[in-house]
Amino acid sequence: MNVAVVDSPVGRLGVVDEGGKITRLRWNVDPVGELTPLLAEAQAQLRAYFDGTLTVFDLPTLVAGSDFQRAVCDAMSAIPFGETMTYGEIAKLTGNSAQAVGNACGANPIPIIIPCHRVMGAGNKLVGFSGAGGVETKVQLLRLEGAAGLLI
């Protein structure tokens, strides 16, 4: 396992590379191992995202978990920059309940890159975020993406 660090407006982020795939994004960690080409690219893409010049991440990811967990992560990854979906909308896509989708979102191991911050509760209500800082971080990310109009 190798971990590279990016200082960002939402904290110090550690991107984890295991076997040539991004498997986690963690807060407040130190670098570990070597800076692989994948981690260097992840750092560059995260910096570009926070600079406002990147709207779609193009990194190989691996989400450990059930087929359902991966389906929810795929659905979240398909939400365009600056847009949102509700748990209920993703539930319809995956054939599960909104509560199950909420649990899967909360277990997202790669927040920001897999944009769980773009998932809202019914009526576009702000609800949890799987990364550090909870809803406050979610609001920062939505503002960064120009989706702050949803928050008024």
Side-chain angles (χ1 to χ4, degrees):
M1 174 177 72
N2 296 299
V3 180
V5 172
V6 175
D7 289 316
S8 81
V10 296
R12 186 174 190 181
L13 306 175
V15 185
V16 179
D17 172 355
E18 293 181 88
K21 305 270 186 183
I22 301 299
T23 59
R24 281 176 275 160
L25 188 136
R26 301 161 83 187
W27 268 255
N28 302 316
V29 296
D30 292 322
V32 174
E34 65 180 271
L35 180 63
T36 65
L38 174 58
L39 288 176
E41 180 61 23
Q43 285 177 315
Q45 287 190 31
L46 281 163
R47 287 184 183 115
Y49 170 79
F50 286 110
D51 288 343
T53 59
L54 179 102
T55 60
V56 177
F57 287 99
D58 183 23
L59 299 166
T61 60
L62 177 65
V63 174
S66 68
D67 289 343
F68 172 65
Q69 177 71 39
R70 286 188 291 279
V72 170
C73 286
D74 288 346
M76 289 187 293
S77 293
I79 302 169
F81 181 92
E83 295 183 26
T84 62
M85 289 182 77
T86 65
Y87 294 124
E89 290 169 328
I90 293 175
K92 287 179 186 172
L93 292 174
T94 61
N96 286 278
S97 72
Q99 183 178 6
V101 169
N103 290 336
C105 288
N108 175 16
I110 316 171
I112 302 173
I113 294 169
I114 297 177
C116 54
H117 60 278
R118 296 178 188 156
V119 183
M120 309 292 274
N124 283 322
K125 181 179 177 187
L126 272 173
V127 289
F129 174 66
S130 69
V135 172
E136 291 177 11
T137 299
K138 183 174 193 155
V139 168
Q140 281 184 274
L141 294 169
L142 291 170
R143 284 189 174 135
L144 173 83
E145 294 186 10
L150 295 167
L151 308 176
I152 297 173

